[in-house]
Amino acid sequence: MAFSRVLLGFLGLFFTAGALLLMFLTLLGGARNSVPLNEIYFLQVDTSNIPGAPAVSRWTFWNICAVGANGKSDCGSSYPDFPFDPPSHRNFDTTTNIPADFIGTNHYFLTSRFSFPFLIIALFFGVVSLFTGFLAMCTRIGSYISSLMAWISLIFQIITTCLMTAVFVQGRNKFNANGQNASVGAKSFGFMWTAVACLFLACIMYCLGGSVGSKESGYSGREHRRRGFFSSQRSNSVRSNKEANP
């Protein structure tokens, strides 16, 4: 029983740590021009016909990056929660050769901006679950607390990943329809959806760890109390009979 709880708690820790690593890599993609961060992006578009834009642009959480001769991102200044809004002053500040669906709407701006805070919340609860996961290997309450934190992290991670997928897949389709070759970043989306799966498995492992031995211990406890109650009554009856019939 104890070994099962340790094993399940360790598996929960393993999946939680794996999810957090992938989430942090996605969050920091584009923040620095170093491997692997300069290989992680959400959307790559041929923007050579847009005035003032790089020949090829990549969107990350921090900026729009040009693509160097080595195929890696070449990013400039970083700004947290950088929006996906091509015609605005935050991106290209022009409507020339920008797909018409991006003009006059806040849909892409708002959807992309909400992804960042939701990911931060998912990371916070994921980190809490990681630390309480050490208790999950030895206590049932630790397993349940870790499971609760992991479930909250999973919910926000699903929201973040769905928002990202929706806005950048839509953006890719709009640019492709406008004759500008576009593709989503396989690494960033692969990391985020894999993190969803890892968090889900961590939740299951923690729940199983908390349930190990619960029925057996509860049953034996009730039996002990029941046995104690009737044993007391039987002892009192025998004592009364002896006093009545010395």
Side-chain angles (χ1 to χ4, degrees), residues 34-204:
S34 58
V35 178
L37 300 183
N38 60 355
E39 299 175 350
I40 300 171
Y41 57 90
F42 300 127
L43 180 67
Q44 176 177 294
V45 181
D46 179 1
T47 53
S48 56
N49 62 348
I50 298 177
V56 179
S57 299
R58 287 175 175 173
W59 276 265
T60 71
F61 271 131
W62 303 92
N63 41 38
I64 294 178
C65 304
V67 179
N70 58 357
K72 310 295 184 183
S73 299
D74 184 12
C75 304
S77 301
S78 297
Y79 305 93
D81 202 6
F82 192 83
F84 174 55
D85 191 17
S88 75
H89 67 278
R90 302 175 184 87
N91 285 194
F92 301 131
D93 196 20
T94 182
T95 58
T96 304
N97 294 323
I98 299 291
D101 294 287
F102 290 117
I103 301 172
T105 178
N106 290 323
H107 165 69
Y108 299 94
F109 171 79
L110 294 175
T111 307
S112 59
R113 288 296 288 267
F114 274 111
S115 300
F116 188 86
F118 283 146
L119 179 56
I120 297 297
I121 296 172
L123 282 168
F124 172 78
F125 285 102
V127 170
V128 174
S129 177
L130 181 69
F131 284 110
T132 58
F134 291 100
L135 296 176
M137 292 191 291
C138 51
T139 64
R140 184 177 303 152
I141 187 64
S143 296
Y144 287 135
I145 293 175
S146 298
S147 177
L148 175 62
M149 296 298 104
W151 278 113
I152 297 174
S153 178
L154 174 63
I155 291 170
F156 282 99
Q157 175 64 9
I158 290 174
I159 294 173
T160 302
T161 308
C162 288
L163 287 175
M164 283 173 44
T165 303
V167 70
F168 287 109
V169 168
Q170 289 174 359
R172 178 201 62 184
N173 295 341
K174 302 305 180 185
F175 276 113
N176 281 330
N178 200 47
Q180 296 159 293
N181 186 47
S183 60
V184 295
K187 289 185 178 180
S188 60
F189 286 98
F191 288 170
M192 291 296 277
W193 282 110
T194 302
V196 169
C198 287
L199 283 174
F200 177 74
L201 291 174
C203 293
I204 299 301

Side-chain angles (χ1 to χ4, degrees), residues 196-215:
V196 169
C198 287
L199 283 174
F200 177 74
L201 291 174
C203 293
I204 299 301
M205 294 300 108
Y206 287 137
C207 286
L208 291 176
S211 65
V212 167
S214 59
K215 293 183 178 180

